[in-house]
Amino acid sequence: EKPDLGKRHFDKAIDLVKEGELVSARDRLLYLMTYFPESKTHSEARRIVGELNMDLLVSKIPQPNKSIHIVRSGEALVSIAKRSQTTIDYIMRASGKANTLIYPNEELTVYPLDLRAEVNLSDKLVTLFEGELFFKEYAIQDTNLPPEFSSTASTTVKEKVAWHDEKPINFENINYMDCTKWIRTGKIGLVFREYDSAIEKGSQVWGVMLDTADMEELFTVLRNGSRVDLRK
């Protein structure tokens, strides 16, 4: 049996995590994934990289392009998010906000989100990339797609909708934090939504279904215009 040359990089990365060196740990695991894909630690490294990337994104840990926006009188969350090329959900999560009210001189964390989602129906995975770098992946729990669905497609996020009591609501609604969310793309039938065992195959409730927590993250980091690629 050949020695697992990637394991020492994995072990060193775990030590770095324990020491709180999250960026160095993430970069060490990305190196492992690139140069030692045959390592038995590869799949676990991939999972940990996703968790580290999300933690780094929404935490107060400084990152390139992450900045603090000081709220000016008359500003609104929607305009701040649009100008900063991010999402309202990201600002709220990264800034530790439990509601959407903002005040002059309040400090908000902003980050230009430029993530691409790749949907692989064969592997049952939705994978996020930042540029060409792996960011995180999510397991597809189920799919219900139109029968004429083509094998490949490239599209973008067209609409993000929050639902409560079967009605669309906006982020100012008091139920926004606990509502159901879905993401519609420019390809008919390609909708990200929460997994629901009640949805029957062949019904016209189309979608790629994820766990609730995964759907919340996807809703946080994808914005209108984000690229979505489909692979069968």
Side-chain angles (χ1 to χ4, degrees), residues 90-209:
Y90 172 79
I91 294 175
M92 292 176 64
R93 185 168 175 177
S95 304
K97 293 183 66 64
N99 59 64
T100 60
L101 296 177
I102 60 174
Y103 308 94
N105 299 318
E106 184 177 2
E107 295 186 351
L108 301 176
T109 301
V110 296
Y111 183 91
L113 293 168
D114 189 20
L115 297 172
R116 170 176 65 88
E118 182 176 290
V119 182
N120 190 308
L121 299 177
S122 298
D123 294 338
K124 295 185 177 181
L125 290 172
V126 174
T127 307
L128 295 180
F129 296 90
E130 187 169 29
E132 296 303 316
L133 286 178
F134 170 85
F135 188 84
K136 192 172 183 180
E137 67 185 9
Y138 304 97
I140 296 174
Q141 300 302 314
D142 200 3
T143 57
N144 188 46
L145 302 173
E148 68 276 9
F149 225 61
S150 59
S151 58
T152 61
S154 289
T155 183
T156 60
V157 172
K158 292 298 184 184
E159 184 182 26
K160 297 168 62 181
V161 182
W163 296 89
H164 181 72
D165 286 341
E166 300 183 355
K167 297 178 181 178
I169 61 174
N170 66 22
F171 69 94
E172 295 178 327
N173 190 288
I174 60 173
N175 297 299
Y176 183 79
M177 299 299 288
D178 301 311
C179 67
T180 299
K181 300 180 176 72
W182 57 261
I183 301 171
R184 182 178 66 84
T185 75
K187 181 173 176 59
I188 296 176
L190 184 53
V191 179
F192 298 106
R193 63 171 72 244
E194 294 179 19
Y195 172 69
D196 185 350
S197 59
I199 296 177
E200 298 181 0
K201 291 287 188 182
S203 70
Q204 292 193 5
V205 183
W206 310 122
V208 172
M209 289 169 264

Side-chain angles (χ1 to χ4, degrees), residues 54-125:
M54 191 59 65
D55 287 346
L56 289 167
L57 185 67
V58 301
S59 73
K60 297 296 184 181
I61 298 174
Q63 292 287 290
N65 298 322
K66 185 189 290 185
S67 60
I68 298 297
H69 176 83
I70 308 298
V71 178
R72 297 187 292 271
S73 180
E75 282 191 311
L77 263 179
V78 63
S79 61
I80 294 171
K82 185 176 181 179
R83 188 166 58 250
S84 303
Q85 296 183 307
T86 189
T87 67
I88 291 170
D89 294 77
Y90 172 79
I91 294 175
M92 292 176 64
R93 185 168 175 177
S95 304
K97 293 183 66 64
N99 59 64
T100 60
L101 296 177
I102 60 174
Y103 308 94
N105 299 318
E106 184 177 2
E107 295 186 351
L108 301 176
T109 301
V110 296
Y111 183 91
L113 293 168
D114 189 20
L115 297 172
R116 170 176 65 88
E118 182 176 290
V119 182
N120 190 308
L121 299 177
S122 298
D123 294 338
K124 295 185 177 181
L125 290 172

Side-chain angles (χ1 to χ4, degrees), residues 15 52 173 211:
D15 289 340
L52 290 175
N173 190 288
D211 280 341

